[in-house]
Amino acid sequence: MTTGPNHPGDHVRAAEDPAPTGEDLAALLTRLLEEAGDRSQKELAESAGIKYPTLNAWMNRTRGTSRINPDDLRAIGNVMREWGVEVTPRQLFQASGRPIPGPTDEEREQRLLEIYRQLPRRAQRTLIETAEVMLGAARAST
């Protein structure tokens, strides 16, 4: 690890390489907190269930981010969305240098509901019948 200025545009590496494209986690969280209005790092840490010194180290680039617990990133995203700030899990994972996970259960359910609502009634019934058959087969195989 090298030390030096820790500003997003600097060529000196901080505790963690920035995301391949876009903002690193420190820059992303700084921007999101600004968008949240009068919210602080301490409030974010408390609301997300993360120790304040840990969050502060991520934001000051004095602690690496590639090993952040995925649940902590999701918790940060959930808090931000509760505060009215738009951020996706993909943005948080990418900014932290973590592998981007597939959609969460909630996202998959939302997508399925969106598809269902776009179908005509007859196709909705067919989708439900198909899902029930799939559920029965899954139960039988366990």
Side-chain angles (χ1 to χ4, degrees):
M1 175 175 91
T2 58
T3 58
N6 290 324
H7 302 288
D10 290 344
H11 293 11
V12 178
R13 286 180 145 169
E16 193 67 33
D17 291 332
T21 59
E23 300 168 303
D24 69 352
L25 187 63
L28 177 63
L29 291 177
T30 298
R31 180 175 59 79
L32 296 175
L33 281 170
E34 288 171 2
E35 290 177 19
D38 61 349
R39 303 294 184 149
S40 69
Q41 286 183 32
K42 285 184 180 183
E43 287 177 284
L44 176 58
E46 183 177 302
S47 297
I50 299 169
K51 293 180 182 176
Y52 171 70
T54 300
L55 178 67
N56 184 262
W58 295 336
M59 294 192 67
N60 288 317
R61 297 180 181 92
T62 57
R63 182 173 185 173
T65 58
S66 65
R67 294 180 189 240
I68 293 176
N69 183 328
D71 291 336
D72 289 343
L73 292 173
R74 287 185 186 98
I76 289 170
N78 290 339
V79 169
M80 287 295 178
R81 285 187 294 278
E82 287 172 11
W83 290 351
V85 178
E86 290 185 33
V87 65
T88 65
R90 174 177 286 280
Q91 288 173 295
L92 288 163
F93 278 79
Q94 185 174 13
S96 68
R98 300 269 309 153
I100 300 169
T104 63
D105 289 344
E106 183 178 305
E107 290 168 328
R108 285 191 298 267
E109 289 173 5
Q110 183 62 36
R111 179 67 184 131
L112 184 58
L113 185 56
E114 289 169 3
I115 291 169
Y116 175 84
R117 288 179 176 162
Q118 293 176 31
L119 294 171
R121 280 225 190 274
R122 185 172 182 190
Q124 288 176 346
R125 284 192 293 268
T126 302
L127 180 60
I128 290 171
E129 290 168 3
T130 302
E132 288 171 341
V133 169
M134 291 172 66
L135 179 60
R139 286 181 177 159
S141 69
T142 58

